[in-house]
Amino acid sequence: MLQLTTLINGVRSSRPLEDGTYIIGRGSACRIRLEFPDVSERHAILTVRNGEAMLEDLHSANGTWVNGEEIDSPMPLDSGKVVQIGESMLRVFEEDLTKSVDVDMPSDEDDATFCAREESGLEKGSDPLRDIRRNVQQQIQRELLKRLDMKRLTVQGVNQEGLEDVARAKIRQIIHEVVEKGRLPDGIDPIRLEEDVFNEAMRLGPLEELLADDTISEIMVNGPYQVYVERNGKLELSDCQFTEDDSVLAVIERIVAPLGRRIDESQPYVDARLADGSRVNAIIPPLSLTGPTITIRKFSSVALTSEDFIRFGTWTHNAAEFMKLCVLLRKNIIVAGGTGSGKTTLLNLLSGYIPSSERIITVEDAAELKLQQPHVVRLEARAPNIEGKGAVTIRDLVKNCLRMRPDRIIVGECRSGEALDMLQAMNTGHDGSLTTVHANSPRDVISRLETMVLMSGMELPSKAIREQVASAVDLIIHESRMSDGTRKVVAITEVTGLEGSQIVMQDIFSFRQTGVGANGKILGELKPTGAIPTWYDQLAGRGIRCDARMFDPDSYGDYNIQQTK
């Protein structure tokens, strides 16, 4: 005999289906009542004959959905069909799905497809097989926890690698038992299932696959069942899902714990990094209403070169040579731009121009820079402990690194009072320093620096701050994320000095957009403005030869700087 299982308001119930006709709707005469506003009085009709079920929509206002697709004609139902009517889920089957995976597990696990769908809040169009796979994965993970004697393994001093080996063997054993008993639902690959369970139990779960994909630049986890990625500058919904909120929280813990950071209700958000330097931000309930949320800004596994930036259209050959010249001349450079514009990537590339003979000290909130020079000291800020003590800020580290005999100071990002200490360092013999600032234009960088200096608590007059800025900053490189998803350097601006109370700047290179091509691609070029740097006449005395045609807007040649001494 067929059975009908329904999930209404989170309550699951089953009933036998004898041969006959069943009207589904919210009317009092309906044999299957679904009392929801979006369910019609007579919504659909279910006909059962000789062990077979047929469903037909009765021209309802909001439609009847089977496996995520709206039906417009009679539809035969079997155990692989999930019916959604309003906020209710229904399924007709001969054998209880809760027994599909039963390796020493409770028989009342909510592993039916529609249970996972309802609890996750998924909309119509969700993949039923994916829901089944997720619930099977949940049960295997619970069984794994039963069989892994973590206390004994800890006492025996088993390291992480050994623990992973034990876990993988246990997972393989559990899946083998499920397959032997014929309990694994059709369409689920046991090899892929083993890898998914292992990743979620011991590593970063579904994120492992996304992190390994070099075409993905950003990963956004909006709760356990919605994971977006950025590919080629465009956002798209991925097929990856976690099993539950606790799985996402476990991944966050695995990321932040090795860094000595924490996340809990008293500290519900955290900045961290992965082993490859990828930037991670996590925020959890009660601040996040969609569940635990993770945002990962991936860094390329291969260090980008100047030629890569030219090929991407981020800058031109002459602009790259000019910035290389500024780094060699120990000019103080600020890389500016909005969120996601590529400031850190550009800063990392600029740092590659620093001679390997110099001592470099980097200061970051979460260590992301990958410098190739041999003499590099990396400093990373520390969050407060559970008692709210022990914090070491970026500003503390900037002050400390001044006593460490640096040739170059690189601050990952100035966002607060450390801007004052950075400016003072630039003005007291630490030339060639580099940092990034969130700003929308080169002119906006100046006002941002003024604001951040005031955040240090020093009551300095505006003119004194501008004098510090004009004296310290030599060059501002502004990068922008365009509407087509590409990143481009849109301005390279020299700070020439202070006239009255205003800081004077001139654009050396500027991006000029000429139009929009196919698929919305931005057309344009980063070209010289014709302005020549005020320090150009000093190059000969520094043993550097630079062709002045590099700054000619009507010249189309590629020019290289040359060191003559």
Side-chain angles (χ1 to χ4, degrees), residues 437-453:
V437 169
H438 273 88
N440 296 321
S441 67
R443 175 62 62 180
D444 191 39
V445 171
I446 305 302
S447 59
R448 284 279 295 149
L449 288 173
E450 289 185 49
T451 302
M452 289 188 289
V453 169

PDB file of all heavy atoms in Angstrom, residues 437-453:
ATOM      1  N   VAL A 437      44.559  52.363   1.204  1.00  0.00           N
ATOM      2  CA  VAL A 437      43.512  53.150   1.854  1.00  0.00           C
ATOM      3  C   VAL A 437      42.230  52.970   1.052  1.00  0.00           C
ATOM      4  O   VAL A 437      42.256  52.967  -0.184  1.00  0.00           O
ATOM      5  CB  VAL A 437      43.890  54.655   1.906  1.00  0.00           C
ATOM      6  CG1 VAL A 437      42.698  55.500   2.336  1.00  0.00           C
ATOM      7  CG2 VAL A 437      45.057  54.885   2.859  1.00  0.00           C
ATOM      8  N   HIS A 438      41.126  52.818   1.748  1.00  0.00           N
ATOM      9  CA  HIS A 438      39.826  52.800   1.071  1.00  0.00           C
ATOM     10  C   HIS A 438      39.469  54.230   0.679  1.00  0.00           C
ATOM     11  O   HIS A 438      39.353  55.103   1.545  1.00  0.00           O
ATOM     12  CB  HIS A 438      38.740  52.240   1.988  1.00  0.00           C
ATOM     13  CG  HIS A 438      38.630  50.757   1.936  1.00  0.00           C
ATOM     14  ND1 HIS A 438      39.376  49.935   2.741  1.00  0.00           N
ATOM     15  CD2 HIS A 438      37.869  49.938   1.160  1.00  0.00           C
ATOM     16  CE1 HIS A 438      39.076  48.664   2.475  1.00  0.00           C
ATOM     17  NE2 HIS A 438      38.167  48.641   1.523  1.00  0.00           N
ATOM     18  N   ALA A 439      39.309  54.476  -0.601  1.00  0.00           N
ATOM     19  CA  ALA A 439      38.928  55.802  -1.080  1.00  0.00           C
ATOM     20  C   ALA A 439      38.374  55.678  -2.489  1.00  0.00           C
ATOM     21  O   ALA A 439      38.656  54.714  -3.204  1.00  0.00           O
ATOM     22  CB  ALA A 439      40.124  56.750  -1.058  1.00  0.00           C
ATOM     23  N   ASN A 440      37.593  56.679  -2.893  1.00  0.00           N
ATOM     24  CA  ASN A 440      36.928  56.636  -4.191  1.00  0.00           C
ATOM     25  C   ASN A 440      37.653  57.435  -5.269  1.00  0.00           C
ATOM     26  O   ASN A 440      37.265  57.380  -6.437  1.00  0.00           O
ATOM     27  CB  ASN A 440      35.488  57.161  -4.070  1.00  0.00           C
ATOM     28  CG  ASN A 440      34.636  56.275  -3.186  1.00  0.00           C
ATOM     29  OD1 ASN A 440      34.754  55.054  -3.226  1.00  0.00           O
ATOM     30  ND2 ASN A 440      33.786  56.886  -2.380  1.00  0.00           N
ATOM     31  N   SER A 441      38.678  58.175  -4.896  1.00  0.00           N
ATOM     32  CA  SER A 441      39.447  58.956  -5.862  1.00  0.00           C
ATOM     33  C   SER A 441      40.745  59.390  -5.188  1.00  0.00           C
ATOM     34  O   SER A 441      40.858  59.365  -3.951  1.00  0.00           O
ATOM     35  CB  SER A 441      38.659  60.184  -6.333  1.00  0.00           C
ATOM     36  OG  SER A 441      38.499  61.098  -5.255  1.00  0.00           O
ATOM     37  N   PRO A 442      41.755  59.814  -5.967  1.00  0.00           N
ATOM     38  CA  PRO A 442      42.987  60.306  -5.337  1.00  0.00           C
ATOM     39  C   PRO A 442      42.741  61.491  -4.404  1.00  0.00           C
ATOM     40  O   PRO A 442      43.354  61.587  -3.339  1.00  0.00           O
ATOM     41  CB  PRO A 442      43.842  60.710  -6.550  1.00  0.00           C
ATOM     42  CG  PRO A 442      43.370  59.821  -7.661  1.00  0.00           C
ATOM     43  CD  PRO A 442      41.899  59.673  -7.433  1.00  0.00           C
ATOM     44  N   ARG A 443      41.839  62.392  -4.798  1.00  0.00           N
ATOM     45  CA  ARG A 443      41.543  63.533  -3.930  1.00  0.00           C
ATOM     46  C   ARG A 443      40.877  63.069  -2.639  1.00  0.00           C
ATOM     47  O   ARG A 443      41.118  63.633  -1.559  1.00  0.00           O
ATOM     48  CB  ARG A 443      40.632  64.514  -4.690  1.00  0.00           C
ATOM     49  CG  ARG A 443      40.130  65.692  -3.875  1.00  0.00           C
ATOM     50  CD  ARG A 443      41.257  66.577  -3.369  1.00  0.00           C
ATOM     51  NE  ARG A 443      42.030  67.192  -4.450  1.00  0.00           N
ATOM     52  CZ  ARG A 443      43.057  67.992  -4.248  1.00  0.00           C
ATOM     53  NH1 ARG A 443      43.463  68.267  -2.995  1.00  0.00           N
ATOM     54  NH2 ARG A 443      43.730  68.495  -5.264  1.00  0.00           N
ATOM     55  N   ASP A 444      40.065  62.023  -2.733  1.00  0.00           N
ATOM     56  CA  ASP A 444      39.382  61.498  -1.549  1.00  0.00           C
ATOM     57  C   ASP A 444      40.381  60.880  -0.576  1.00  0.00           C
ATOM     58  O   ASP A 444      40.105  60.799   0.626  1.00  0.00           O
ATOM     59  CB  ASP A 444      38.345  60.453  -1.969  1.00  0.00           C
ATOM     60  CG  ASP A 444      37.422  60.050  -0.841  1.00  0.00           C
ATOM     61  OD1 ASP A 444      37.038  60.934  -0.053  1.00  0.00           O
ATOM     62  OD2 ASP A 444      37.096  58.864  -0.734  1.00  0.00           O
ATOM     63  N   VAL A 445      41.528  60.412  -1.063  1.00  0.00           N
ATOM     64  CA  VAL A 445      42.553  59.845  -0.179  1.00  0.00           C
ATOM     65  C   VAL A 445      42.993  60.880   0.850  1.00  0.00           C
ATOM     66  O   VAL A 445      43.212  60.555   2.034  1.00  0.00           O
ATOM     67  CB  VAL A 445      43.758  59.351  -0.996  1.00  0.00           C
ATOM     68  CG1 VAL A 445      44.916  58.952  -0.079  1.00  0.00           C
ATOM     69  CG2 VAL A 445      43.357  58.183  -1.881  1.00  0.00           C
ATOM     70  N   ILE A 446      43.125  62.132   0.417  1.00  0.00           N
ATOM     71  CA  ILE A 446      43.596  63.185   1.323  1.00  0.00           C
ATOM     72  C   ILE A 446      42.615  63.381   2.473  1.00  0.00           C
ATOM     73  O   ILE A 446      43.018  63.420   3.654  1.00  0.00           O
ATOM     74  CB  ILE A 446      43.787  64.510   0.547  1.00  0.00           C
ATOM     75  CG1 ILE A 446      44.731  64.300  -0.650  1.00  0.00           C
ATOM     76  CG2 ILE A 446      44.321  65.588   1.479  1.00  0.00           C
ATOM     77  CD1 ILE A 446      46.088  63.777  -0.292  1.00  0.00           C
ATOM     78  N   SER A 447      41.342  63.497   2.152  1.00  0.00           N
ATOM     79  CA  SER A 447      40.351  63.691   3.224  1.00  0.00           C
ATOM     80  C   SER A 447      40.245  62.455   4.102  1.00  0.00           C
ATOM     81  O   SER A 447      40.027  62.563   5.320  1.00  0.00           O
ATOM     82  CB  SER A 447      38.985  64.038   2.613  1.00  0.00           C
ATOM     83  OG  SER A 447      38.545  63.014   1.740  1.00  0.00           O
ATOM     84  N   ARG A 448      40.408  61.256   3.514  1.00  0.00           N
ATOM     85  CA  ARG A 448      40.384  60.023   4.314  1.00  0.00           C
ATOM     86  C   ARG A 448      41.546  60.002   5.293  1.00  0.00           C
ATOM     87  O   ARG A 448      41.393  59.623   6.458  1.00  0.00           O
ATOM     88  CB  ARG A 448      40.443  58.803   3.407  1.00  0.00           C
ATOM     89  CG  ARG A 448      39.151  58.470   2.699  1.00  0.00           C
ATOM     90  CD  ARG A 448      38.203  57.698   3.593  1.00  0.00           C
ATOM     91  NE  ARG A 448      38.762  56.396   3.933  1.00  0.00           N
ATOM     92  CZ  ARG A 448      38.549  55.748   5.061  1.00  0.00           C
ATOM     93  NH1 ARG A 448      37.801  56.302   5.990  1.00  0.00           N
ATOM     94  NH2 ARG A 448      39.078  54.563   5.291  1.00  0.00           N
ATOM     95  N   LEU A 449      42.728  60.406   4.838  1.00  0.00           N
ATOM     96  CA  LEU A 449      43.888  60.445   5.731  1.00  0.00           C
ATOM     97  C   LEU A 449      43.672  61.446   6.862  1.00  0.00           C
ATOM     98  O   LEU A 449      44.027  61.170   8.022  1.00  0.00           O
ATOM     99  CB  LEU A 449      45.152  60.799   4.947  1.00  0.00           C
ATOM    100  CG  LEU A 449      45.704  59.709   4.027  1.00  0.00           C
ATOM    101  CD1 LEU A 449      46.855  60.244   3.181  1.00  0.00           C
ATOM    102  CD2 LEU A 449      46.177  58.498   4.846  1.00  0.00           C
ATOM    103  N   GLU A 450      43.088  62.590   6.548  1.00  0.00           N
ATOM    104  CA  GLU A 450      42.805  63.578   7.594  1.00  0.00           C
ATOM    105  C   GLU A 450      41.864  62.989   8.640  1.00  0.00           C
ATOM    106  O   GLU A 450      42.085  63.143   9.851  1.00  0.00           O
ATOM    107  CB  GLU A 450      42.175  64.830   6.984  1.00  0.00           C
ATOM    108  CG  GLU A 450      43.124  65.676   6.161  1.00  0.00           C
ATOM    109  CD  GLU A 450      42.450  66.958   5.693  1.00  0.00           C
ATOM    110  OE1 GLU A 450      41.831  67.651   6.533  1.00  0.00           O
ATOM    111  OE2 GLU A 450      42.530  67.263   4.497  1.00  0.00           O
ATOM    112  N   THR A 451      40.833  62.313   8.179  1.00  0.00           N
ATOM    113  CA  THR A 451      39.863  61.716   9.107  1.00  0.00           C
ATOM    114  C   THR A 451      40.522  60.663   9.981  1.00  0.00           C
ATOM    115  O   THR A 451      40.295  60.615  11.201  1.00  0.00           O
ATOM    116  CB  THR A 451      38.701  61.092   8.321  1.00  0.00           C
ATOM    117  OG1 THR A 451      38.075  62.093   7.518  1.00  0.00           O
ATOM    118  CG2 THR A 451      37.683  60.477   9.259  1.00  0.00           C
ATOM    119  N   MET A 452      41.370  59.813   9.375  1.00  0.00           N
ATOM    120  CA  MET A 452      42.010  58.741  10.142  1.00  0.00           C
ATOM    121  C   MET A 452      43.011  59.292  11.147  1.00  0.00           C
ATOM    122  O   MET A 452      43.181  58.736  12.233  1.00  0.00           O
ATOM    123  CB  MET A 452      42.669  57.750   9.189  1.00  0.00           C
ATOM    124  CG  MET A 452      41.665  56.916   8.412  1.00  0.00           C
ATOM    125  SD  MET A 452      42.405  55.586   7.445  1.00  0.00           S
ATOM    126  CE  MET A 452      43.209  56.516   6.153  1.00  0.00           C
ATOM    127  N   VAL A 453      43.695  60.386  10.783  1.00  0.00           N
ATOM    128  CA  VAL A 453      44.624  61.008  11.745  1.00  0.00           C
ATOM    129  C   VAL A 453      43.850  61.517  12.957  1.00  0.00           C
ATOM    130  O   VAL A 453      44.286  61.365  14.114  1.00  0.00           O
ATOM    131  CB  VAL A 453      45.415  62.144  11.067  1.00  0.00           C
ATOM    132  CG1 VAL A 453      46.158  62.968  12.108  1.00  0.00           C
ATOM    133  CG2 VAL A 453      46.406  61.569  10.057  1.00  0.00           C
TER     134      VAL A 453
END
